Amino acid sequence: MAKLNVNPTRMELTRLKKQLTTAARGHKLLKDKQDELMRRFILLIKKNNVLRSEVEEELQSAMGAFVLADAMLNDKYIDELLAVPKEKVDLDVIEKDVMSVKVPVMNFQHDTNLSEDPLEYGFLNSNEELDQSIDRFTGILPKLLELTEIEKTCQLMAKEIEKTRRRVNALEYMTIPQLEETIYFIKMKLEENERAEVTRMIKVKNMGAT
C-alpha cells in the first residue's frame, strides 16, 4: 500500500493521527449500518418469498376460474363487463426512513363495497366461475400492493447495502492502511532525524573538547 505524499513533520503526524481516528470511527459506524441493513434485508427477503408464493397461488386460482368462465360465456359480454370498474381505488405513497434509506409506504384505499360487489352485472348472464374469479382477483389486491411495497423496499435496500459495502471496503483496504503506513513512515523519519541530530551534537561537542 503506497503511503500518502506528505511532509514528515510532527504537525503532519498529529493531523494524520486525527484522520486515522476519524476514519476508524467512520468504518465502525458504516460496518454496523451494513450489518443492520443486511439483517433487515434478509428478513424482508424471507417475507417477500412467502408472500410471493401466496400471491402466485391465488392468482393461478383466480386465473383458472376466469379461463373456465371465458370458455362458457360470450367474449363480448366479458369485455363489456370488465371495461369500466365500478369503484375508484386510491393509492397513497409516502416515504419512511430506514437506516438512511427512503422506502415507500403504500396505502391502498377503496370502498368496502368493492370486495363485496366489485362489478355490476346480472347474475342471469354470469356463472359461478366468473363470480369466483372476480372475487379472487378483488381479494388479492391488498396482497399485491404489499408485495409491491416489499419488493421495492428490497431493491432500495440492496442498493444502499452495496453503496455502504463499497465505502466500508474503501476505508478498510485503502484509506486506513494508507494512513497507518504514512504515520509509521513519519514516525520512522522523525526518529531518524532525532538520531542524526543527536549524532551531530555529539560530534560538535567532541570537536569542541579537542
Side-chain angles (χ1 to χ4, degrees), residues 192-205:
E192 179 183 337
N193 292 341
E194 287 178 358
R195 287 194 297 270
E197 180 64 19
V198 169
T199 302
R200 187 186 67 82
M201 292 179 66
I202 292 174
K203 288 181 177 181
V204 170
K205 183 178 180 180

Side-chain angles (χ1 to χ4, degrees), residues 13-34:
L13 180 62
T14 301
R15 184 180 68 84
L16 291 176
K17 283 182 176 180
K18 290 180 179 179
Q19 283 190 7
L20 179 59
T21 300
T22 301
R25 186 182 300 116
H27 175 268
K28 182 181 185 307
L29 291 174
L30 285 172
K31 192 67 170 63
D32 290 344
K33 176 183 177 180
Q34 180 185 4

